[in-house]
Amino acid sequence: AQTVTQSQPEMSVQEAETVTLSCTYDTSESDYYLFWYKQPPSRQMILVIRQEAYKQQNATENRFSVNFQKAAKSFSLKISDSQLGDAAMYFCALLDSNYQLIWGAGTKLIIKP
Amino acid sequence: NAGVTQTPKFRVLKTGQSMTLLCAQDMNHEYMYWYRQDPGMGLRLIHYSVGEGTTAKGEVPDGYNVSRLKKQNFLLGLESAAPSQTSVYFCASDTGGYEQYFGPGTRLTVT
């Protein structure tokens, strides 16, 4: 069975500093996709970043970047220059071959002003 | 372009009552999904559809039924609500593998 594990229920960071959220996963497939989604208090689920497993280059989107370690099955999210608007639940997810997303339990990110 | 919409946004049911949640998308997506989100957990897939007229079971399908009579609509039904079905329900759609677009969610309480 495929699983996604987020071992940090909560993280906090000072505004303008950098924080890294951890995610590990397990899959027997060689080709898959990984995602980080953000869920602010509004409840709306927003895609932050996407990584194709066949690509060695780590995905980046402005202040958000990932460290994708395929052999270690690790997919961490780095947020640089943290802003108050980054405060949210962050979910790591794995897309399986049936196009179904397997979700982690989430990490609550708190930004300290 | 409204994206993915869900109706209603909130609902309170008594145990044993039935209801239908409506999801609509205007992006011409083939794939649609229903998830539930419980406190402290990630989303869990209830049912999904890979095209008009098709449905399939996800991780937690018991107690729910779905229908996809039109490409743009995906209905989730609870025939006999139970307190264990108290949750936030999300609908999503996509073209298959790139990005799932989510609705705003429906908070359902079963007393």
Side-chain angles (χ1 to χ4, degrees), chain A residues 43, chain B residues 7-14 17-22 76 78 81 85-89 105-111:
Chain A
R43 246 177 24 205
Chain B
T7 309
K9 289 186 170 51
F10 303 92
R11 186 73 186 268
V12 178
L13 287 179
K14 288 185 176 8
Q17 288 184 320
S18 64
M19 77 163 293
T20 300
L21 305 183
L22 170 64
L76 177 71
L78 286 73
Q85 294 178 305
T86 293
S87 190
V88 179
Y89 291 85
T106 295
R107 182 176 294 278
L108 174 65
T109 302
V110 183
T111 62

Side-chain angles (χ1 to χ4, degrees), chain A residues 74-85:
Chain A
S74 170
F75 182 61
S76 60
L77 175 70
K78 185 172 85 171
I79 306 174
S80 303
D81 185 26
S82 297
Q83 300 175 1
L84 293 177

